[in-house]
């Protein structure tokens, strides 16, 4: 996975965070929580201020529920989780690169890895592969093209 894709994903997460934070700041008393009224409109929680209404009045139930479920607090929590996943991937990738260097140095020195070092090395490969797939899935969710998308 390219560093550009990871950087693009982090940039998109940051933009989403900024928008959610701006929406949160519009009505601080609601603490960024939105609720759907029985009429279908979406309001700031504990406030009469309307977040969204349909073109001719009430929102369709599904649209209003979707808007309410994506209140600023929820979006900020998701962004934090997405950022943590991307940072875990970067950390694992760095650790794997360091482990690769140690293995190469052992080859040059003619030394042998211990079984524990080999297990750790193998575990890093698995962890990196799993996190790569998760990050690629996140990138897809943010509308970014992965290398796999570019190949096809």
């Amino acid at each position: 996975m390219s560093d550009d894709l990871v950087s693009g994903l982090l940039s998109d997460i940051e933009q989403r965070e900024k928008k959610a934070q701006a929406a949160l700041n519009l009505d601080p008393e609601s603490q960024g929580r939105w609720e759907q009224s029985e009429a279908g409109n979406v309001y700031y929680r504990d406030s009469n201020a309307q977040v969204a209404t349909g073109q001719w009045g009430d929102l369709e139930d599904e649209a209003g529920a979707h808007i309410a479920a994506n209140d600023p607090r929820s979006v900020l929590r998701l962004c934090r989780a997405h950022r943590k996943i991307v940072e875990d991937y970067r950390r694992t990738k760095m650790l794997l690169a360091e482990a690769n260097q140690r293995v190469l140095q052992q080859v040059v020195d003619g030394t042998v890895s211990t079984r524990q070092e080999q297990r750790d090395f193998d575990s890093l490969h698995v962890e990196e592969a799993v996190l790569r797939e998760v990050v690629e899935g996140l990138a897809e969710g943010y509308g970014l093209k992965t290398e796999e998308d570019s190949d096809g």
Side-chain angles (χ1 to χ4, degrees), residues 11-121:
S11 175
D12 282 6
I13 291 169
E14 181 180 342
Q15 290 305 311
R16 189 168 287 190
E17 284 173 323
K18 285 179 181 178
K19 290 173 186 173
Q21 190 61 52
L24 177 67
N25 294 339
L26 291 175
D27 189 3
E29 291 178 24
S30 72
Q31 298 180 10
R33 294 185 181 97
W34 297 348
E35 293 180 343
Q36 186 176 18
S37 70
E38 286 183 27
N41 299 315
V42 179
Y43 291 88
Y44 292 100
R45 184 176 183 174
D46 301 324
S47 171
N48 289 327
Q50 227 173 36
V51 173
T53 186
Q55 185 174 359
W56 296 281
D58 298 341
L59 288 169
E60 294 294 323
D61 286 343
E62 294 80 12
H66 172 73
I67 292 168
N70 286 281
D71 66 24
R73 288 266 185 224
S74 297
V75 171
L76 289 170
R77 280 193 307 272
L78 282 172
C79 287
R80 278 192 301 273
H82 294 168
R83 184 179 300 283
K84 182 179 181 326
I85 291 167
V86 174
E87 293 302 333
D88 284 351
Y89 169 73
R90 284 178 135 178
R91 178 190 53 78
T92 301
K93 191 175 170 184
M94 181 192 69
L95 291 173
L96 186 56
E98 291 171 0
N100 279 328
Q101 286 296 329
R102 282 194 304 275
V103 168
L104 287 173
Q105 190 61 49
Q106 288 172 335
V107 170
V108 169
D109 295 344
T111 58
V112 179
S113 299
T114 66
R115 286 185 183 174
Q116 184 59 48
E117 287 173 327
Q118 188 58 49
R119 282 193 294 269
D120 291 346
F121 185 69

